[in-house]
């Protein structure tokens, strides 16, 4: 990247995780560049043993554990997450393998400011085990999606997608790995667009100022 973004112009981002945190790592790596328009201000996990917390600490980023089991209900859990994010001055939220579903109240307090990454080409294959379900359904193209989070699960405006072929001998593990490699490219790009004010949302449609479409994927290749 070229000229550094002025530090106070970098959007402060909270990343929420539940596990290994490889997407978190891609965001940490991108944000290590002073020209990247976002900085990771806080990483929150609902699980104390999530490996992503180790990644955050190694990158010198503040961490917090907010264990859902310690709260009486979803409202109280969401309030604790909200307070931690606001205390850290976060302006945007990235969900990166965070395995809890927020209440509509929480989502509505962060309008167009929460991103999620999902390992399918939405709106196909919402929910869990989506790579296995893509293989079982006979799909020849799979991929990943970054979308804006709305109260409906895996249904908010789509910001960016990357496609990969599904090969005849794919297993859930091999397809997941191929998709994950694209997730690690897509999520930092999508966060940069949002953080630099290039995203417009109109109903359920998101567009990115200056974006071009110059690729087509056919699978299998003829
Ligand atoms: C990724 O496949 C992501 O798309 C999904 O959960 C997985 C998280 O992986 N939401 P990681 O923790 O980022 O490695």
């Amino acid at each position: 990247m070229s000229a550094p973004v002025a530090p106070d112009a970098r959007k402060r981002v909270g990343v929420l995780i539940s596990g290994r945190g490889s997407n978190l790592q891609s965001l940490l790596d991108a944000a290590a560049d002073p020209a990247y328009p976002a900085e990771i201000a806080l990483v929150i996990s609902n699980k104390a043993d999530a490996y992503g917390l180790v990644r955050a600490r190694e990158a010198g980023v503040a961490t917090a554990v907010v264990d859902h089991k310690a709260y009486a209900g979803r409202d109280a859990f969401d309030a604790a997450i909200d307070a931690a994010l606001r205390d850290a001055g976060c302006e945007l939220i990235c969900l990166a393998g965070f395995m809890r579903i927020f209440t509509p109240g929480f989502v509505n307090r962060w309008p167009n400011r929460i991103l999620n990454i999902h390992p399918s080409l939405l709106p196909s294959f919402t929910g869990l085990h989506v790579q296995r379900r893509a293989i079982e359904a006979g799909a020849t193209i799979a991929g990943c999606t970054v979308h804006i989070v709305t109260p409906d699960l895996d249904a908010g405006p789509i910001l960016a997608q990357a496609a990969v072929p599904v090969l005849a001998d794919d297993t859930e593990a091999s397809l997941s790995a191929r998709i994950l490699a694209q997730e690690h490219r897509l999520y930092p790009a999508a966060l940069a667009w949002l953080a630099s004010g290039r995203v417009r949302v109109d109903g359920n449609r998101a567009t990115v100022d200056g974006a071009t479409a110059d690729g087509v994927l056919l699978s299998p290749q003829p």
Side-chain angles (χ1 to χ4, degrees):
M1 287 202 179
S2 50
V5 178
D8 59 358
R10 302 181 88 201
K11 286 276 189 294
R12 291 175 68 79
V13 178
V15 183
L16 273 55
I17 61 167
S18 297
R20 72 185 161 185
S22 70
N23 278 288
L24 163 66
Q25 188 69 58
S26 74
L27 298 176
L28 290 168
D29 291 347
D33 182 342
Y36 190 75
E39 66 177 299
I40 311 305
L42 178 66
V43 172
I44 302 177
S45 174
N46 65 312
K47 290 183 178 274
D49 62 354
Y51 182 66
L53 291 170
V54 176
R55 298 177 188 270
R57 288 183 202 117
E58 283 176 355
V61 170
T63 62
V65 175
V66 182
D67 182 352
H68 56 282
K69 295 194 289 298
Y71 294 86
R74 290 174 65 199
D75 285 329
F77 173 68
D78 288 3
I81 298 265
D82 189 80
L85 290 164
R86 291 184 196 278
D87 286 352
C90 295
E91 303 160 276
L92 300 173
I93 302 171
C94 285
L95 308 183
F98 183 64
M99 301 302 286
R100 308 299 302 173
I101 296 171
F102 284 121
T103 56
F106 179 93
V107 174
N108 290 332
R109 281 194 292 279
W110 296 85
N112 295 334
R113 292 197 285 154
I114 311 174
L115 294 181
N116 182 44
I117 187 153
H118 181 80
S120 80
L121 292 174
L122 291 172
S124 295
F125 304 112
T126 60
L128 298 175
H129 307 298
V130 294
Q131 302 96 332
R132 187 178 76 212
R133 287 163 48 211
I135 294 171
E136 288 169 357
T140 58
I141 297 177
C144 52
T145 302
V146 175
H147 67 95
I148 293 170
V149 172
T150 58
D152 295 325
L153 185 68
D154 299 333
I158 291 170
L159 201 50
Q161 297 186 296
V164 302
V166 181
L167 304 181
D169 58 354
D170 261 335
T171 61
E172 182 177 11
S174 64
L175 178 59
S176 297
R178 190 175 308 118
I179 294 171
L180 193 65
Q182 297 306 315
E183 293 184 40
H184 296 160
R185 299 176 61 200
L186 195 67
Y187 213 177
L191 174 60
W193 294 334
L194 186 67
S196 57
R198 289 177 59 190
V199 174
R200 292 168 199 273
V201 179
D202 181 13
N204 206 40
R205 236 180 115 75
T207 52
V208 179
D209 288 348
T212 58
D214 55 5
V216 160
L217 175 66
L218 297 184
S219 181
Q221 292 286 335

